[in-house]
């Protein structure tokens, strides 16, 4: 049995993290799981192995081989991970990186010891949240909220740049650092994520395509195949 639960974060972390979560994997739950792009970055700890690592922003599907035990994570708001991890998001794109490669060894060892001493999922989530907050060197890129709003609205890249007072080259660099990819890819991932959210909620694929701005259902199917690696029907059957 595989159980996944999300919880809201404490007030001090709400500007940086969208949620904390846990996944409990039984010894018999060995089927690979398909992880698809969602424009998010997660920091994770596996209780049984002690592994601390970061899942960067994805541009394609990844097949995850579940390890039995408890996995605890904290998910950054889209565009906010550089403030908590200290590295630009594009350095993590399509990667699973050991936390020791990003933070000082003594800091990682201290965090690992604190996590190992916790006796509950909630306790581990609190420790992970505090560790992320302790490393915040500065506020987020002030353009992030506006860029997300424009990207979700399907605004052309040139118009996005004009709206925030940047050249297109500057916009590309800022998007890479904050989100892990340029504005066009960000728009594709956000639209795909919204489409799958609606489809999981029971909206038909024709209506999903119309509501999120695909040309038609065939366009939606091509994008799902490109980003998830399978057809919409196959993907929804796995989630």
């Amino acid at each position: 049995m595989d159980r996944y639960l999300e919880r809201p974060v404490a007030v001090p972390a709400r500007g940086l993290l969208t949620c904390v979560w846990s996944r409990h994997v039984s010894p018999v739950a060995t089927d690979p799981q398909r992880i698809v792009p969602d424009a998010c970055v997660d920091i994770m700890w596996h209780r049984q192995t002690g592994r601390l690592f970061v899942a960067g922003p994805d541009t394609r599907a990844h097949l995850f081989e579940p390890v039995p035990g408890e996995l605890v994570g904290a998910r950054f708001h889209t565009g906010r991970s550089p403030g908590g991890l200290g590295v630009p998001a594009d350095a993590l794109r399509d990667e699973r990186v050991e936390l020791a490669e990003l933070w000082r060894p003594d800091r990682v060892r201290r965090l690992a010891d604190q996590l190992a001493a916790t006796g509950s999922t909630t306790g581990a989530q609190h420790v992970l949240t505090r560790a992320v907050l302790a490393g915040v060197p500065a506020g987020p890129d002030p353009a992030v909220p506006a860029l997300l709003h424009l990207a979700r609205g399907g605004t052309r890249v040139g118009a996005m740049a004009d709206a925030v007072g940047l050249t297109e080259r500057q916009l590309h660099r800022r998007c890479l650092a904050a989100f892990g990819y340029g504005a066009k890819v960000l728009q594709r991932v956000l639209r795909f994520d919204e489409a799958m959210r609606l489809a999981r909620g029971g909206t038909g694929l024709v209506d999903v395509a119309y509501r999120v701005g695909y040309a038609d259902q065939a366009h939606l199917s091509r994008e799902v195949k490109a980003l998830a690696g399978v057809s919409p029907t196959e993907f929804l059957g796995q989630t």
Side-chain angles (χ1 to χ4, degrees):
M1 181 179 182
D2 186 350
R3 291 184 292 113
Y4 174 81
L5 294 172
E6 290 184 3
R7 294 179 55 247
V9 296
V11 172
R14 288 180 186 170
L16 187 68
L17 300 175
T18 183
C19 70
V20 289
W21 55 266
S22 63
R23 186 183 295 277
H24 296 263
V25 180
S26 75
V28 297
T30 57
D31 291 338
Q33 297 175 344
R34 187 173 299 274
I35 309 298
V36 298
D38 61 1
C40 291
V41 174
D42 293 71
I43 180 171
M44 293 174 273
W45 173 66
H46 189 265
R47 185 180 294 277
Q48 282 66 32
T49 63
R51 186 187 180 196
L52 273 163
F53 64 107
V54 174
D58 293 327
T59 61
R60 54 183 172 80
H62 292 260
L63 289 179
F64 170 68
E65 297 285 348
V67 177
E70 180 185 36
L71 190 64
V72 177
R75 180 166 300 135
F76 290 93
H77 284 297
T78 301
R80 300 297 175 89
S81 66
L85 296 174
V87 296
D90 59 319
L92 307 171
R93 183 174 57 240
D94 288 316
E95 298 288 350
R96 304 298 181 260
V97 180
E98 302 305 311
L99 189 60
E101 296 181 26
L102 306 179
W103 289 0
R104 298 189 317 272
D106 60 317
R107 184 182 177 195
V108 176
R109 284 195 299 270
R110 186 166 60 250
L111 173 57
D113 290 342
Q114 292 170 344
L115 286 164
T118 61
S120 68
T121 298
T122 302
Q125 290 169 336
H126 285 325
V127 168
L128 203 55
T129 300
R130 287 199 305 268
V132 170
L133 288 175
V136 177
D141 184 333
V144 162
L147 291 175
L148 275 175
H149 175 74
L150 293 165
R152 288 190 171 110
T155 305
R156 291 183 303 103
V157 172
M160 287 178 66
D162 290 342
V164 294
L166 299 173
T167 66
E168 289 192 31
R169 181 172 295 182
Q170 290 171 329
L171 172 69
H172 185 68
R173 288 198 299 266
R174 296 276 280 274
C175 284
L176 286 178
F179 307 112
Y181 14 70
K184 287 184 179 179
V185 176
L186 175 64
Q187 288 178 333
R188 288 182 65 202
V189 170
L190 292 174
R191 183 166 58 174
F192 162 79
D193 189 57
E194 174 65 8
M196 293 302 95
R197 185 188 68 80
L198 289 171
R200 289 190 196 100
T203 304
L205 293 178
V206 173
D207 289 336
V208 167
Y210 173 77
R211 288 175 62 174
V212 302
Y214 291 111
D216 49 31
Q217 186 178 342
H219 183 198
L220 165 64
S221 295
R222 289 194 299 273
E223 281 292 276
V224 174
K225 181 72 173 180
L227 293 170
V230 292
S231 71
T233 302
E234 290 175 282
F235 176 66
L236 293 169
Q238 297 171 2
T239 57

